[in-house]
mmCIF file of all heavy atoms in Angstrom:
data_model
loop_
_atom_site.group_PDB
_atom_site.id
_atom_site.type_symbol
_atom_site.label_atom_id
_atom_site.label_comp_id
_atom_site.label_asym_id
_atom_site.label_seq_id
_atom_site.Cartn_x
_atom_site.Cartn_y
_atom_site.Cartn_z
ATOM 1 N N GLU A 1 -150.814 -23.954 -137.993
ATOM 2 C CA GLU A 1 -151.024 -24.433 -136.626
ATOM 3 C C GLU A 1 -150.125 -25.616 -136.297
ATOM 4 O O GLU A 1 -149.709 -25.785 -135.153
ATOM 5 C CB GLU A 1 -152.490 -24.803 -136.396
ATOM 6 C CG GLU A 1 -153.398 -23.608 -136.286
ATOM 7 C CD GLU A 1 -154.825 -23.984 -135.922
ATOM 8 O OE1 GLU A 1 -155.135 -25.198 -135.823
ATOM 9 O OE2 GLU A 1 -155.628 -23.063 -135.726
ATOM 10 N N GLY A 2 -149.815 -26.414 -137.285
ATOM 11 C CA GLY A 2 -148.944 -27.568 -137.075
ATOM 12 C C GLY A 2 -147.462 -27.218 -137.124
ATOM 13 O O GLY A 2 -146.614 -28.090 -136.926
ATOM 14 N N GLY A 3 -147.152 -25.947 -137.400
ATOM 15 C CA GLY A 3 -145.761 -25.522 -137.487
ATOM 16 C C GLY A 3 -145.064 -26.067 -138.708
ATOM 17 O O GLY A 3 -143.839 -26.189 -138.752
ATOM 18 N N LEU A 4 -145.838 -26.387 -139.737
ATOM 19 C CA LEU A 4 -145.287 -27.022 -140.937
ATOM 20 C C LEU A 4 -144.922 -26.041 -142.035
ATOM 21 O O LEU A 4 -144.308 -26.444 -143.023
ATOM 22 C CB LEU A 4 -146.305 -28.035 -141.486
ATOM 23 C CG LEU A 4 -146.708 -29.141 -140.521
ATOM 24 C CD1 LEU A 4 -147.827 -29.975 -141.120
ATOM 25 C CD2 LEU A 4 -145.502 -29.990 -140.167
ATOM 26 N N THR A 5 -145.321 -24.787 -141.881
ATOM 27 C CA THR A 5 -145.049 -23.822 -142.936
ATOM 28 C C THR A 5 -144.822 -22.432 -142.358
ATOM 29 O O THR A 5 -145.384 -22.085 -141.322
ATOM 30 C CB THR A 5 -146.222 -23.778 -143.955
ATOM 31 O OG1 THR A 5 -145.855 -22.981 -145.070
ATOM 32 C CG2 THR A 5 -147.485 -23.202 -143.343
ATOM 33 N N GLU A 6 -143.983 -21.685 -143.038
ATOM 34 C CA GLU A 6 -143.810 -20.275 -142.696
ATOM 35 C C GLU A 6 -144.941 -19.513 -143.361
ATOM 36 O O GLU A 6 -145.638 -20.040 -144.230
ATOM 37 C CB GLU A 6 -142.462 -19.778 -143.201
ATOM 38 C CG GLU A 6 -141.296 -20.439 -142.494
ATOM 39 C CD GLU A 6 -139.951 -19.956 -143.004
ATOM 40 O OE1 GLU A 6 -139.902 -19.144 -143.946
ATOM 41 O OE2 GLU A 6 -138.944 -20.404 -142.453
ATOM 42 N N MET A 7 -145.106 -18.266 -142.971
ATOM 43 C CA MET A 7 -146.167 -17.473 -143.588
ATOM 44 C C MET A 7 -145.664 -16.075 -143.896
ATOM 45 O O MET A 7 -144.725 -15.593 -143.273
ATOM 46 C CB MET A 7 -147.401 -17.434 -142.700
ATOM 47 C CG MET A 7 -147.217 -16.692 -141.392
ATOM 48 S SD MET A 7 -148.663 -16.777 -140.322
ATOM 49 C CE MET A 7 -147.990 -17.766 -138.996
ATOM 50 N N TYR A 8 -146.298 -15.447 -144.855
ATOM 51 C CA TYR A 8 -146.009 -14.062 -145.169
ATOM 52 C C TYR A 8 -146.510 -13.174 -144.036
ATOM 53 O O TYR A 8 -147.437 -13.549 -143.304
ATOM 54 C CB TYR A 8 -146.697 -13.634 -146.477
ATOM 55 C CG TYR A 8 -146.129 -14.298 -147.704
ATOM 56 C CD1 TYR A 8 -146.838 -15.302 -148.353
ATOM 57 C CD2 TYR A 8 -144.888 -13.920 -148.214
ATOM 58 C CE1 TYR A 8 -146.324 -15.913 -149.495
ATOM 59 C CE2 TYR A 8 -144.370 -14.523 -149.342
ATOM 60 C CZ TYR A 8 -145.083 -15.521 -149.980
ATOM 61 O OH TYR A 8 -144.578 -16.114 -151.088
ATOM 62 N N VAL A 9 -145.914 -12.015 -143.917
ATOM 63 C CA VAL A 9 -146.326 -11.060 -142.887
ATOM 64 C C VAL A 9 -147.804 -10.723 -143.044
ATOM 65 O O VAL A 9 -148.531 -10.635 -142.059
ATOM 66 C CB VAL A 9 -145.459 -9.777 -142.948
ATOM 67 C CG1 VAL A 9 -146.006 -8.702 -142.025
ATOM 68 C CG2 VAL A 9 -144.018 -10.099 -142.607
ATOM 69 N N GLU A 10 -148.261 -10.567 -144.263
ATOM 70 C CA GLU A 10 -149.667 -10.229 -144.501
ATOM 71 C C GLU A 10 -150.592 -11.346 -144.008
ATOM 72 O O GLU A 10 -151.646 -11.078 -143.425
ATOM 73 C CB GLU A 10 -149.914 -9.951 -145.984
ATOM 74 C CG GLU A 10 -151.330 -9.527 -146.304
ATOM 75 C CD GLU A 10 -151.765 -8.230 -145.633
ATOM 76 O OE1 GLU A 10 -150.926 -7.453 -145.143
ATOM 77 O OE2 GLU A 10 -152.987 -7.975 -145.593
ATOM 78 N N THR A 11 -150.208 -12.591 -144.204
ATOM 79 C CA THR A 11 -151.005 -13.717 -143.700
ATOM 80 C C THR A 11 -151.042 -13.689 -142.184
ATOM 81 O O THR A 11 -152.099 -13.876 -141.564
ATOM 82 C CB THR A 11 -150.425 -15.051 -144.201
ATOM 83 O OG1 THR A 11 -150.419 -15.051 -145.629
ATOM 84 C CG2 THR A 11 -151.236 -16.231 -143.682
ATOM 85 N N PHE A 12 -149.885 -13.437 -141.563
ATOM 86 C CA PHE A 12 -149.815 -13.339 -140.102
ATOM 87 C C PHE A 12 -150.717 -12.227 -139.597
ATOM 88 O O PHE A 12 -151.465 -12.402 -138.635
ATOM 89 C CB PHE A 12 -148.361 -13.108 -139.666
ATOM 90 C CG PHE A 12 -148.213 -12.927 -138.191
ATOM 91 C CD1 PHE A 12 -148.263 -14.016 -137.341
ATOM 92 C CD2 PHE A 12 -148.034 -11.669 -137.649
ATOM 93 C CE1 PHE A 12 -148.133 -13.854 -135.967
ATOM 94 C CE2 PHE A 12 -147.902 -11.497 -136.287
ATOM 95 C CZ PHE A 12 -147.952 -12.584 -135.450
ATOM 96 N N ARG A 13 -150.681 -11.071 -140.261
ATOM 97 C CA ARG A 13 -151.519 -9.934 -139.863
ATOM 98 C C ARG A 13 -152.996 -10.291 -139.956
ATOM 99 O O ARG A 13 -153.781 -9.998 -139.057
ATOM 100 C CB ARG A 13 -151.213 -8.712 -140.743
ATOM 101 C CG ARG A 13 -151.953 -7.447 -140.300
ATOM 102 C CD ARG A 13 -151.904 -6.361 -141.362
ATOM 103 N NE ARG A 13 -152.615 -6.732 -142.579
ATOM 104 C CZ ARG A 13 -153.949 -6.746 -142.706
ATOM 105 N NH1 ARG A 13 -154.722 -6.418 -141.688
ATOM 106 N NH2 ARG A 13 -154.509 -7.077 -143.847
ATOM 107 N N LYS A 14 -153.378 -10.956 -141.035
ATOM 108 C CA LYS A 14 -154.777 -11.356 -141.207
ATOM 109 C C LYS A 14 -155.215 -12.338 -140.127
ATOM 110 O O LYS A 14 -156.331 -12.240 -139.607
ATOM 111 C CB LYS A 14 -154.986 -11.980 -142.595
ATOM 112 C CG LYS A 14 -154.934 -10.994 -143.729
ATOM 113 C CD LYS A 14 -155.087 -11.729 -145.051
ATOM 114 C CE LYS A 14 -155.060 -10.814 -146.241
ATOM 115 N NZ LYS A 14 -155.212 -11.581 -147.501
ATOM 116 N N LEU A 15 -154.350 -13.294 -139.797
ATOM 117 C CA LEU A 15 -154.688 -14.260 -138.743
ATOM 118 C C LEU A 15 -154.838 -13.568 -137.393
ATOM 119 O O LEU A 15 -155.791 -13.832 -136.657
ATOM 120 C CB LEU A 15 -153.619 -15.348 -138.647
ATOM 121 C CG LEU A 15 -153.677 -16.439 -139.701
ATOM 122 C CD1 LEU A 15 -152.429 -17.310 -139.631
ATOM 123 C CD2 LEU A 15 -154.928 -17.279 -139.542
ATOM 124 N N ALA A 16 -153.886 -12.688 -137.072
ATOM 125 C CA ALA A 16 -153.962 -11.969 -135.793
ATOM 126 C C ALA A 16 -155.247 -11.164 -135.716
ATOM 127 O O ALA A 16 -155.941 -11.170 -134.695
ATOM 128 C CB ALA A 16 -152.740 -11.060 -135.622
ATOM 129 N N GLN A 17 -155.596 -10.478 -136.800
ATOM 130 C CA GLN A 17 -156.821 -9.674 -136.816
ATOM 131 C C GLN A 17 -158.055 -10.565 -136.686
ATOM 132 O O GLN A 17 -158.972 -10.257 -135.921
ATOM 133 C CB GLN A 17 -156.891 -8.860 -138.107
ATOM 134 C CG GLN A 17 -158.079 -7.923 -138.162
ATOM 135 C CD GLN A 17 -158.064 -7.062 -139.420
ATOM 136 O OE1 GLN A 17 -157.322 -7.310 -140.364
ATOM 137 N NE2 GLN A 17 -158.896 -6.044 -139.434
ATOM 138 N N ALA A 18 -158.086 -11.669 -137.399
ATOM 139 C CA ALA A 18 -159.239 -12.574 -137.341
ATOM 140 C C ALA A 18 -159.410 -13.165 -135.942
ATOM 141 O O ALA A 18 -160.529 -13.441 -135.517
ATOM 142 C CB ALA A 18 -159.085 -13.698 -138.371
ATOM 143 N N LEU A 19 -158.296 -13.339 -135.237
ATOM 144 C CA LEU A 19 -158.343 -13.888 -133.878
ATOM 145 C C LEU A 19 -158.548 -12.810 -132.823
ATOM 146 O O LEU A 19 -158.726 -13.117 -131.645
ATOM 147 C CB LEU A 19 -157.038 -14.641 -133.574
ATOM 148 C CG LEU A 19 -156.838 -15.947 -134.327
ATOM 149 C CD1 LEU A 19 -155.389 -16.393 -134.240
ATOM 150 C CD2 LEU A 19 -157.780 -17.012 -133.791
ATOM 151 N N GLY A 20 -158.496 -11.542 -133.223
ATOM 152 C CA GLY A 20 -158.583 -10.451 -132.258
ATOM 153 C C GLY A 20 -157.380 -10.448 -131.335
ATOM 154 O O GLY A 20 -157.493 -10.130 -130.157
ATOM 155 N N ALA A 21 -156.216 -10.832 -131.873
ATOM 156 C CA ALA A 21 -155.010 -11.002 -131.069
ATOM 157 C C ALA A 21 -154.004 -9.899 -131.342
ATOM 158 O O ALA A 21 -153.976 -9.315 -132.416
ATOM 159 C CB ALA A 21 -154.376 -12.356 -131.366
ATOM 160 N N ASP A 22 -153.165 -9.666 -130.364
ATOM 161 C CA ASP A 22 -152.042 -8.751 -130.501
ATOM 162 C C ASP A 22 -150.902 -9.503 -131.179
ATOM 163 O O ASP A 22 -150.494 -10.569 -130.709
ATOM 164 C CB ASP A 22 -151.630 -8.261 -129.110
ATOM 165 C CG ASP A 22 -150.376 -7.448 -129.151
ATOM 166 O OD1 ASP A 22 -150.431 -6.311 -129.634
ATOM 167 O OD2 ASP A 22 -149.334 -7.953 -128.674
ATOM 168 N N ALA A 23 -150.397 -8.965 -132.276
ATOM 169 C CA ALA A 23 -149.344 -9.640 -133.020
ATOM 170 C C ALA A 23 -148.106 -9.864 -132.157
ATOM 171 O O ALA A 23 -147.473 -10.914 -132.237
ATOM 172 C CB ALA A 23 -148.989 -8.834 -134.269
ATOM 173 N N GLY A 24 -147.777 -8.910 -131.316
ATOM 174 C CA GLY A 24 -146.604 -9.049 -130.452
ATOM 175 C C GLY A 24 -146.725 -10.218 -129.507
ATOM 176 O O GLY A 24 -145.766 -10.972 -129.298
ATOM 177 N N SER A 25 -147.887 -10.405 -128.934
ATOM 178 C CA SER A 25 -148.054 -11.527 -128.004
ATOM 179 C C SER A 25 -148.017 -12.857 -128.741
ATOM 180 O O SER A 25 -147.530 -13.847 -128.205
ATOM 181 C CB SER A 25 -149.342 -11.388 -127.201
ATOM 182 O OG SER A 25 -150.473 -11.531 -128.035
ATOM 183 N N LEU A 26 -148.495 -12.890 -129.984
ATOM 184 C CA LEU A 26 -148.404 -14.124 -130.767
ATOM 185 C C LEU A 26 -146.952 -14.477 -131.060
ATOM 186 O O LEU A 26 -146.565 -15.636 -131.039
ATOM 187 C CB LEU A 26 -149.153 -13.984 -132.094
ATOM 188 C CG LEU A 26 -150.648 -14.232 -132.079
ATOM 189 C CD1 LEU A 26 -151.243 -13.963 -133.441
ATOM 190 C CD2 LEU A 26 -150.963 -15.643 -131.640
ATOM 191 N N LEU A 27 -146.132 -13.466 -131.309
ATOM 192 C CA LEU A 27 -144.735 -13.724 -131.655
ATOM 193 C C LEU A 27 -143.848 -13.992 -130.450
ATOM 194 O O LEU A 27 -142.930 -14.790 -130.519
ATOM 195 C CB LEU A 27 -144.160 -12.521 -132.422
ATOM 196 C CG LEU A 27 -144.677 -12.324 -133.832
ATOM 197 C CD1 LEU A 27 -144.152 -11.024 -134.404
ATOM 198 C CD2 LEU A 27 -144.288 -13.500 -134.712
ATOM 199 N N CYS A 28 -144.109 -13.317 -129.346
ATOM 200 C CA CYS A 28 -143.154 -13.311 -128.241
ATOM 201 C C CYS A 28 -143.551 -14.122 -127.033
ATOM 202 O O CYS A 28 -142.697 -14.453 -126.224
ATOM 203 C CB CYS A 28 -142.915 -11.868 -127.779
ATOM 204 S SG CYS A 28 -142.298 -10.819 -129.094
ATOM 205 N N ARG A 29 -144.761 -14.399 -126.836
ATOM 206 C CA ARG A 29 -145.208 -15.000 -125.583
ATOM 207 C C ARG A 29 -144.751 -16.441 -125.480
ATOM 208 O O ARG A 29 -145.197 -17.300 -126.213
ATOM 209 C CB ARG A 29 -146.714 -14.912 -125.474
ATOM 210 C CG ARG A 29 -147.190 -15.275 -124.106
ATOM 211 C CD ARG A 29 -148.607 -14.853 -123.912
ATOM 212 N NE ARG A 29 -148.818 -14.764 -122.497
ATOM 213 C CZ ARG A 29 -149.725 -14.049 -121.935
ATOM 214 N NH1 ARG A 29 -150.512 -13.324 -122.666
ATOM 215 N NH2 ARG A 29 -149.866 -14.024 -120.642
ATOM 216 N N GLU A 30 -143.863 -16.704 -124.544
ATOM 217 C CA GLU A 30 -143.360 -18.052 -124.332
ATOM 218 C C GLU A 30 -144.193 -18.796 -123.300
ATOM 219 O O GLU A 30 -144.439 -19.970 -123.413
ATOM 220 C CB GLU A 30 -141.898 -18.015 -123.871
ATOM 221 C CG GLU A 30 -140.958 -17.519 -124.948
ATOM 222 C CD GLU A 30 -140.945 -18.399 -126.172
ATOM 223 O OE1 GLU A 30 -141.030 -19.632 -126.024
ATOM 224 O OE2 GLU A 30 -140.857 -17.863 -127.283
ATOM 225 N N GLU A 31 -144.584 -18.085 -122.231
ATOM 226 C CA GLU A 31 -145.348 -18.741 -121.177
ATOM 227 C C GLU A 31 -146.811 -18.838 -121.580
ATOM 228 O O GLU A 31 -147.290 -18.060 -122.384
ATOM 229 C CB GLU A 31 -145.213 -17.983 -119.851
ATOM 230 C CG GLU A 31 -145.996 -16.691 -119.771
ATOM 231 C CD GLU A 31 -145.345 -15.502 -120.458
ATOM 232 O OE1 GLU A 31 -144.236 -15.618 -120.981
ATOM 233 O OE2 GLU A 31 -145.982 -14.437 -120.482
ATOM 234 N N LYS A 32 -147.477 -19.794 -121.008
ATOM 235 C CA LYS A 32 -148.904 -19.941 -121.274
ATOM 236 C C LYS A 32 -149.657 -18.888 -120.484
ATOM 237 O O LYS A 32 -149.338 -18.632 -119.331
ATOM 238 C CB LYS A 32 -149.383 -21.331 -120.875
ATOM 239 C CG LYS A 32 -148.808 -22.416 -121.736
ATOM 240 C CD LYS A 32 -149.488 -23.721 -121.433
ATOM 241 C CE LYS A 32 -148.929 -24.754 -122.368
ATOM 242 N NZ LYS A 32 -149.933 -25.464 -123.062
ATOM 243 N N PRO A 33 -150.672 -18.277 -121.109
ATOM 244 C CA PRO A 33 -151.450 -17.303 -120.352
ATOM 245 C C PRO A 33 -152.200 -18.009 -119.234
ATOM 246 O O PRO A 33 -152.567 -19.182 -119.368
ATOM 247 C CB PRO A 33 -152.430 -16.744 -121.393
ATOM 248 C CG PRO A 33 -152.477 -17.759 -122.476
ATOM 249 C CD PRO A 33 -151.170 -18.489 -122.452
ATOM 250 N N ASP A 34 -152.385 -17.289 -118.127
ATOM 251 C CA ASP A 34 -153.157 -17.919 -117.062
ATOM 252 C C ASP A 34 -154.607 -18.018 -117.492
ATOM 253 O O ASP A 34 -155.018 -17.446 -118.489
ATOM 254 C CB ASP A 34 -152.977 -17.188 -115.719
ATOM 255 C CG ASP A 34 -153.578 -15.794 -115.703
ATOM 256 O OD1 ASP A 34 -154.504 -15.522 -116.484
ATOM 257 O OD2 ASP A 34 -153.124 -14.980 -114.890
ATOM 258 N N SER A 35 -155.384 -18.768 -116.742
ATOM 259 C CA SER A 35 -156.759 -19.018 -117.161
ATOM 260 C C SER A 35 -157.564 -17.734 -117.260
ATOM 261 O O SER A 35 -158.441 -17.617 -118.104
ATOM 262 C CB SER A 35 -157.437 -20.009 -116.218
ATOM 263 O OG SER A 35 -157.512 -19.472 -114.911
ATOM 264 N N GLY A 36 -157.249 -16.749 -116.421
ATOM 265 C CA GLY A 36 -157.949 -15.469 -116.503
ATOM 266 C C GLY A 36 -157.716 -14.792 -117.836
ATOM 267 O O GLY A 36 -158.640 -14.266 -118.449
ATOM 268 N N ASP A 37 -156.462 -14.802 -118.302
ATOM 269 C CA ASP A 37 -156.146 -14.213 -119.605
ATOM 270 C C ASP A 37 -156.915 -14.922 -120.717
ATOM 271 O O ASP A 37 -157.445 -14.283 -121.619
ATOM 272 C CB ASP A 37 -154.647 -14.318 -119.909
ATOM 273 C CG ASP A 37 -153.796 -13.354 -119.114
ATOM 274 O OD1 ASP A 37 -154.355 -12.416 -118.503
ATOM 275 O OD2 ASP A 37 -152.568 -13.536 -119.105
ATOM 276 N N ARG A 38 -156.944 -16.245 -120.666
ATOM 277 C CA ARG A 38 -157.646 -17.001 -121.709
ATOM 278 C C ARG A 38 -159.129 -16.672 -121.713
ATOM 279 O O ARG A 38 -159.731 -16.523 -122.767
ATOM 280 C CB ARG A 38 -157.442 -18.503 -121.504
ATOM 281 C CG ARG A 38 -156.105 -19.005 -121.958
ATOM 282 C CD ARG A 38 -156.083 -20.517 -122.083
ATOM 283 N NE ARG A 38 -156.584 -21.222 -120.929
ATOM 284 C CZ ARG A 38 -155.856 -21.608 -119.889
ATOM 285 N NH1 ARG A 38 -154.583 -21.355 -119.862
ATOM 286 N NH2 ARG A 38 -156.403 -22.262 -118.889
ATOM 287 N N HIS A 39 -159.730 -16.548 -120.520
ATOM 288 C CA HIS A 39 -161.156 -16.240 -120.448
ATOM 289 C C HIS A 39 -161.434 -14.846 -120.998
ATOM 290 O O HIS A 39 -162.395 -14.655 -121.746
ATOM 291 C CB HIS A 39 -161.664 -16.349 -119.009
ATOM 292 C CG HIS A 39 -161.656 -17.733 -118.461
ATOM 293 N ND1 HIS A 39 -162.234 -18.801 -119.098
ATOM 294 C CD2 HIS A 39 -161.114 -18.235 -117.330
ATOM 295 C CE1 HIS A 39 -162.063 -19.897 -118.393
ATOM 296 N NE2 HIS A 39 -161.377 -19.585 -117.311
ATOM 297 N N ILE A 40 -160.603 -13.900 -120.636
ATOM 298 C CA ILE A 40 -160.799 -12.526 -121.118
ATOM 299 C C ILE A 40 -160.656 -12.472 -122.625
ATOM 300 O O ILE A 40 -161.491 -11.876 -123.323
ATOM 301 C CB ILE A 40 -159.818 -11.566 -120.426
ATOM 302 C CG1 ILE A 40 -160.195 -11.416 -118.947
ATOM 303 C CG2 ILE A 40 -159.798 -10.200 -121.119
ATOM 304 C CD1 ILE A 40 -159.142 -10.725 -118.113
ATOM 305 N N LYS A 41 -159.614 -13.110 -123.167
ATOM 306 C CA LYS A 41 -159.411 -13.105 -124.617
ATOM 307 C C LYS A 41 -160.569 -13.791 -125.333
ATOM 308 O O LYS A 41 -161.001 -13.347 -126.386
ATOM 309 C CB LYS A 41 -158.085 -13.761 -124.972
ATOM 310 C CG LYS A 41 -156.902 -12.894 -124.631
ATOM 311 C CD LYS A 41 -155.597 -13.571 -124.969
ATOM 312 C CE LYS A 41 -154.432 -12.675 -124.579
ATOM 313 N NZ LYS A 41 -153.150 -13.311 -124.861
ATOM 314 N N SER A 42 -161.055 -14.866 -124.750
ATOM 315 C CA SER A 42 -162.169 -15.577 -125.361
ATOM 316 C C SER A 42 -163.425 -14.704 -125.394
ATOM 317 O O SER A 42 -164.116 -14.631 -126.413
ATOM 318 C CB SER A 42 -162.445 -16.867 -124.591
ATOM 319 O OG SER A 42 -163.576 -17.514 -125.108
ATOM 320 N N ILE A 43 -163.702 -14.028 -124.287
ATOM 321 C CA ILE A 43 -164.876 -13.151 -124.225
ATOM 322 C C ILE A 43 -164.734 -12.004 -125.217
ATOM 323 O O ILE A 43 -165.673 -11.673 -125.951
ATOM 324 C CB ILE A 43 -165.090 -12.624 -122.791
ATOM 325 C CG1 ILE A 43 -165.549 -13.774 -121.875
ATOM 326 C CG2 ILE A 43 -166.107 -11.478 -122.764
ATOM 327 C CD1 ILE A 43 -165.480 -13.454 -120.397
ATOM 328 N N LEU A 44 -163.552 -11.378 -125.261
ATOM 329 C CA LEU A 44 -163.336 -10.274 -126.189
ATOM 330 C C LEU A 44 -163.463 -10.733 -127.636
ATOM 331 O O LEU A 44 -164.028 -10.019 -128.477
ATOM 332 C CB LEU A 44 -161.975 -9.626 -125.949
ATOM 333 C CG LEU A 44 -161.849 -8.857 -124.644
ATOM 334 C CD1 LEU A 44 -160.414 -8.372 -124.451
ATOM 335 C CD2 LEU A 44 -162.820 -7.681 -124.606
ATOM 336 N N SER A 45 -162.964 -11.915 -127.917
ATOM 337 C CA SER A 45 -163.080 -12.443 -129.275
ATOM 338 C C SER A 45 -164.542 -12.661 -129.644
ATOM 339 O O SER A 45 -164.972 -12.314 -130.746
ATOM 340 C CB SER A 45 -162.305 -13.749 -129.386
ATOM 341 O OG SER A 45 -162.452 -14.297 -130.668
#
């Protein structure tokens, strides 16, 4: 979270799964999601 270490692909996959997140959006999303997106993701999680 602090950007202090790289991670193995398997660690990244586990984190994405634990967060209920799409790996592509974790890697590529530059803009901040709007509040609606955050609320939906939070509810789904």
Side-chain angles (χ1 to χ4, degrees):
E1 287 186 356
L4 301 174
T5 188
E6 294 179 357
M7 67 184 113
Y8 292 106
V9 172
E10 183 62 16
T11 301
F12 177 77
R13 186 194 65 75
K14 288 177 179 180
L15 282 170
Q17 184 176 13
L19 290 165
D22 173 72
S25 67
L26 276 176
L27 289 173
C28 302
R29 191 165 201 157
E30 292 298 323
E31 75 280 357
K32 293 189 177 232
D34 67 24
S35 63
D37 286 347
R38 282 195 310 271
H39 293 308
I40 291 168
K41 287 179 181 179
S42 176
I43 290 167
L44 291 174
S45 178

